[in-house]
Amino acid sequence: MKRIVGIVVPLLTCAVLIAQEKGNVWRTWYLKPADGKVAQLEKGLKDHVEKFHGKGQWPEYYHDILTGPNAGLLMGWSGPHTFKAMDERVRSPEDFKHWQKYVAPYVDNNTNTGISFMVYEKDLSYNPKLKGPYWHYSYNMVRPGAHGEYIEFLEAIKKTKAANKDPLSHNIYRVASGKYPDAWVWEYPGESLEEISGSMQSPAGQLGMDDVLGEEEAKRLNAIYQKVVKYRVREIIKTRRDLSTPEDN
């Protein structure tokens, strides 16, 4: 299966404006440790984050990837930002030099680690929660031109889970720029694997649609999902708080 290192969705002008107003853009990337250099990479990252990405500075959060095609890599997140803030950010020469000296030498440069911009869609999310340390991601690769239908399905899932008072939160992202086109990302946060285990369904929240929406409507929406989603990729990550910007409670 193709490595998920960057995912892209065509971004409408209105979505760009919303992202700029609310500050809901996340920059993500992957780092693969060079052979035998895990300890050195982690030491360099820890020192780098402490020096240049502490509280009040440009935030960076790193995670261990536990499952999926990228298992064994580190995943980085930075945000939430606005595109305007990204334009205006000036990275100091010291920041860049430190990265080049203490981090870059321990990264496998033969791996396309990519960068993506992901826009958080709060209105499509259910019981929004942004607290881990465990996160289950489901990447839904949607057929070009089918995003309107897919949003209809997302809205139905949210309505179903709200009616059933589902305890499992999920956040929805769509990607503004990256390598793979037309992907939407479901994020399930939790304090343990047990807490997010309910997300390991197909897809979580789909059960109970008959009772909430009616059998015919549920059948129609499930047919939309089967038609517009080309394939899915899933991964579970765990936040490395020792390598990340400290968070406020």
Side-chain angles (χ1 to χ4, degrees), residues 49 53 60-63 239-247:
V49 170
H53 302 281
E60 288 190 356
Y61 309 101
Y62 289 93
H63 316 267
T239 303
R240 290 290 303 272
R241 288 178 173 147
D242 58 321
L243 305 180
S244 301
T245 302
E247 295 182 273

Side-chain angles (χ1 to χ4, degrees), residues 32-45 64 72 74 106 240 243:
K32 181 180 180 180
D35 288 344
K37 301 298 182 182
V38 173
Q40 293 92 327
L41 175 59
E42 291 184 354
K43 180 181 178 181
L45 275 177
D64 286 326
L74 287 169
Y106 308 117
R240 290 290 303 272
L243 305 180

Side-chain angles (χ1 to χ4, degrees), residues 39-54 57 60 62 94-95 97-99 101-103 242-244:
Q40 293 92 327
L41 175 59
E42 291 184 354
K43 180 181 178 181
L45 275 177
K46 186 176 187 298
D47 188 50
H48 186 79
V49 170
E50 288 177 352
K51 283 182 168 65
F52 303 102
H53 302 281
Q57 297 175 296
E60 288 190 356
Y62 289 93
E94 292 78 13
D95 179 346
K97 289 177 183 177
H98 188 277
W99 179 277
K101 184 174 181 179
Y102 296 104
V103 179
D242 58 321
L243 305 180
S244 301

Side-chain angles (χ1 to χ4, degrees), residues 1-4 68-69 141 180 231-234:
M1 186 173 289
K2 295 180 179 178
R3 185 176 295 277
I4 305 300
M141 309 305 179
Y180 288 91
Y231 66 95
R232 293 176 297 148
V233 177
R234 290 183 170 188

